[in-house]
Amino acid sequence: VKIADEVMTGFGRTGNLFASEYCEVKPDIICLSKGITGGTMPLGATTCNEKVASVFETSDNSKTFYHGHSFTANPLACACANASLDLLLTEECQGKIKEISNAHKQFAEEIKSHSAVLKVTTLGTIFSMELKSDEKSGYLNSLRDKISKYFLSKDILLRPLGNVIYVLPPYVIEKEDLDKIYGEIKMFLNNLNK
């Protein structure tokens, strides 16, 4: 059974509707969340193909897929998901995804040779930059605190995972705001070298 975790990468984040569309091998199970409502309400969904579903189609109770129903199909969250999907599939939103993707690629080219940068990766609206560090790369790298403090002081909310900076802007971001983020990243890198 192949599982695609599309919680962060789904709903256009990678440029395609789902990241698994890039893969030759297709998933049997897809996990969805966050983007399903455009981030407006908590909602998650797990979907599966017939191969997986057929295992549970029996009168044998020992093969029942037991799961909780506490928040299943919350009507308000599902309405948000439907509205979000309608917006996502508009020509305007798809155009914004392309604009962000192109801006990320241009910025990656501009910044990739900076002396503080180890690696820059972009895919769709996801921009990732790994910074050089004397410590082991990873979630616990102490650059995380320096990155968070700097960008929060500039009113920019980024998600550093250790020494890796991610930029995942909302699709409605204005060019000026994205340029501000890029400019502050450059300032941060230049200050890092001092």
Side-chain angles (χ1 to χ4, degrees):
V1 175
K2 292 160 266 335
I3 301 172
D5 179 352
E6 296 274 11
V7 169
M8 183 184 110
T9 59
F11 301 97
R13 189 51 71 187
T14 63
N16 283 348
L17 193 56
F18 297 104
S20 54
E21 292 177 31
Y22 292 104
C23 303
E24 289 181 26
V25 177
K26 298 304 173 197
D28 301 303
I29 298 173
I30 299 178
C31 303
L32 305 168
S33 189
K34 295 182 182 173
I36 198 169
T37 65
T40 60
M41 290 198 73
L43 181 68
T46 302
T47 65
C48 65
N49 62 16
E50 184 60 32
K51 173 183 161 185
V52 173
S54 65
V55 174
F56 302 102
E57 293 172 356
T58 176
S59 58
D60 182 352
N61 288 340
S62 69
K63 295 189 179 190
T64 299
F65 181 62
Y66 293 102
H67 64 286
H69 295 83
S70 299
F71 294 101
T72 300
N74 175 287
L76 186 55
C78 289
C80 288
N82 285 332
S84 180
L85 189 56
D86 287 344
L87 288 171
L88 174 67
L89 298 176
T90 64
E91 194 174 307
E92 181 182 3
C93 187
Q94 293 301 305
K96 287 294 288 181
I97 289 170
K98 287 180 180 137
E99 285 176 25
I100 295 166
S101 177
N102 290 336
H104 279 352
K105 286 176 191 172
Q106 289 174 349
F107 183 60
E109 280 299 312
E110 181 183 336
I111 207 78
K112 71 180 183 183
S113 300
H114 194 284
S115 60
V117 174
L118 185 62
K119 181 180 176 184
V120 179
T121 307
T122 69
L123 182 60
T125 65
I126 301 171
F127 175 92
S128 169
M129 179 176 61
E130 184 175 357
L131 302 179
K132 292 178 183 174
S133 175
D134 295 333
E135 299 172 42
K136 180 181 176 186
S137 287
Y139 287 0
L140 302 178
N141 187 293
S142 66
L143 275 175
R144 171 192 63 198
D145 298 329
K146 193 179 237 184
I147 295 167
S148 287
K149 186 176 180 180
Y150 178 85
F151 287 100
L152 284 176
S153 75
K154 304 297 181 182
D155 295 326
I156 297 172
L157 182 60
L158 297 182
R159 182 178 183 207
L161 297 177
N163 59 316
V164 180
I165 296 174
Y166 283 92
V167 179
L168 295 101
Y171 302 151
V172 295
I173 194 167
E174 297 293 335
K175 183 183 182 320
E176 301 78 41
D177 294 323
L178 197 53
D179 288 343
K180 176 185 175 182
I181 293 168
Y182 295 153
E184 290 300 340
I185 288 174
K186 286 191 265 187
M187 290 291 289
F188 177 78
L189 293 175
N190 291 336
N191 290 334
L192 201 58
N193 284 341
K194 290 180 182 175

